[in-house]
Amino acid sequence: MLQFTEDCRLGIPEIDSEHERLFALVNKGYALLNQEENLRPAAKNLLKHLRDYADTHFIHEEEYMRKIDDPELSSQKREHVDFTNRMNAVDFSRLTDEQLRPALENLLDYLARWLFGHILGSDILIGKFESPFAFTSKYATGIDEIDEEHRQLFRMVKETHDVIQDNLVFDKYDQIVYVVNRLKNYTKEHFKHEEAYMERVGYPGLLKQREAHQAFCDKLAEIQLEDMDNNQQAYLENLIEFLLNWLSVHILHMDKEIGNYLSDLTHEIDL
């Protein structure tokens, strides 16, 4: 019998509870191996419950990871798909009575190995890594309107990342065009707002900011959608890397100086 031990607990109550339920279902299956009569309908019923419960659990687990912006989500989804495909490939109805019991035992052994391996090798990492797309406190300028627009820019870069990770969409051209154009438009609006704010408060670094903003807009304008259509994966990966690097460096080394400038002004006034 499988034991749901403490080292299998993630510290996330809703996920831990569902994992315990999956362990219980597998143990129910092992108990069936000692059943002499009506094994076939019982095995089919168990398989149905395993499929249904696993599907529900995967939805909950992936939604939780999506909410916390966990960078391991795409890897988890691949493992979940592999497991689902394995479950869907099982067909007890084609087996003879002699074949059924060893087939059920093989399935249960696979489930036991998969559960322990998946929980201790993958699930245990949920929430342990900071997403590169997360707008964390280190990026905060202390200026609410600017911080909120920066937060939205990070969301848009993540949206671009999600497009490339969507294995269910073969030709992603239309989606890429949409997210890139949306990013271009939002970036221009953000720069206008940010520069207007700097002008209002008399920020001395406004000229350098304008130059940096223009350089970024020029880079976005160089994006050739035709090239993306020819090699979407590589093009988008390079684009994501550029966007993340530029946003991080620009905010940390330039935009945060706006907040520092305002803090110094406030300090001088207080004196």
Side-chain angles (χ1 to χ4, degrees):
M1 302 290 281
L2 299 186
Q3 295 294 323
F4 186 80
T5 55
E6 285 302 310
D7 57 346
C8 290
R9 292 192 181 277
L10 312 185
I12 306 169
E14 57 267 39
I15 295 180
D16 286 336
S17 176
E18 292 185 357
H19 283 165
E20 285 190 86
R21 175 60 179 153
L22 284 170
F23 270 69
L25 284 173
V26 175
N27 283 332
K28 182 179 179 181
Y30 277 118
L32 288 179
L33 293 175
N34 298 319
Q35 184 172 309
E36 295 298 331
E37 298 180 356
N38 300 318
L39 179 60
R40 187 177 299 276
K44 286 183 177 180
N45 186 56
L46 173 69
L47 181 59
K48 180 181 184 304
H49 278 86
L50 280 168
R51 286 171 174 165
D52 292 344
Y53 196 82
D55 285 346
T56 301
H57 167 63
F58 291 158
I59 290 172
H60 293 166
E61 192 169 84
E62 290 170 14
E63 181 57 31
Y64 178 86
M65 296 180 73
R66 193 173 292 109
K67 283 195 299 185
I68 65 171
D69 205 14
D70 196 300
E72 293 297 304
L73 175 58
S74 59
S75 176
Q76 282 273 4
K77 289 173 75 172
R78 286 193 294 271
E79 292 186 32
H80 292 168
V81 168
D82 289 342
F83 178 87
T84 300
N85 290 340
R86 176 66 184 265
M87 289 296 99
N88 289 338
V90 177
D91 186 0
F92 289 142
S93 64
R94 297 184 177 184
L95 303 179
T96 65
D97 291 342
E98 291 74 20
Q99 294 171 327
L100 179 59
R101 196 176 302 276
L104 176 59
E105 187 171 8
N106 287 337
L107 174 64
L108 293 170
D109 289 344
Y110 162 77
L111 289 170
R113 291 193 304 272
W114 192 91
L115 272 175
F116 278 116
H118 183 70
I119 292 174
L120 297 176
S122 297
D123 286 351
I124 202 71
L125 300 176
I126 293 176
K128 300 299 190 296
F129 297 110
E130 179 181 294
S131 169
F133 307 102
F135 182 86
T136 59
S137 58
K138 69 180 180 181
Y139 295 117
T141 64
I143 306 165
D144 291 343
E145 59 196 88
I146 291 178
D147 286 339
E148 181 52 40
E149 291 188 356
H150 285 165
R151 190 175 286 108
Q152 180 61 16
L153 282 170
F154 273 89
R155 291 192 196 107
M156 288 183 173
V157 176
K158 182 180 184 302
E159 183 180 352
T160 307
H161 170 266
D162 289 345
V163 171
I164 197 173
Q165 296 298 332
D166 190 348
N167 295 323
L168 299 179
V169 179
F170 176 71
D171 188 355
K172 305 170 184 175
Y173 181 78
D174 290 341
Q175 291 188 43
I176 294 172
V177 171
Y178 171 76
V179 294
V180 169
N181 285 337
R182 185 165 169 255
L183 178 64
K184 286 180 179 180
N185 294 333
Y186 189 85
T187 299
K188 290 176 182 177
E189 288 301 309
H190 164 63
F191 288 163
K192 285 181 183 178
H193 297 162
E194 194 171 76
E195 290 170 14
Y197 181 87
M198 287 186 279
E199 194 165 9
R200 286 201 308 272
V201 300
Y203 180 60
L206 174 58
L207 180 59
K208 288 184 178 179
Q209 281 274 7
R210 279 181 172 153
E211 291 173 349
H213 291 169
Q214 187 58 52
F216 183 73
C217 287
D218 290 344
K219 182 69 175 180
L220 289 181
E222 292 174 3
I223 296 174
Q224 298 297 319
L225 303 184
E226 295 81 5
D227 292 341
M228 280 198 292
D229 196 28
N230 292 333
N231 193 354
Q232 295 174 2
Q233 194 85 1
Y235 199 105
L236 196 52
E237 286 175 354
N238 290 334
L239 177 61
I240 289 172
E241 182 178 1
F242 165 72
L243 292 173
L244 278 178
N245 288 340
W246 193 92
L247 272 175
S248 299
V249 172
H250 182 74
I251 293 173
L252 291 174
H253 294 280
M254 295 192 74
D255 287 349
K256 283 180 72 74
E257 288 301 312
I258 307 170
N260 294 338
Y261 166 75
L262 292 177
S263 295
D264 291 342
L265 274 184
T266 303
H267 180 67
E268 290 176 7
I269 292 172
D270 290 341
L271 292 177

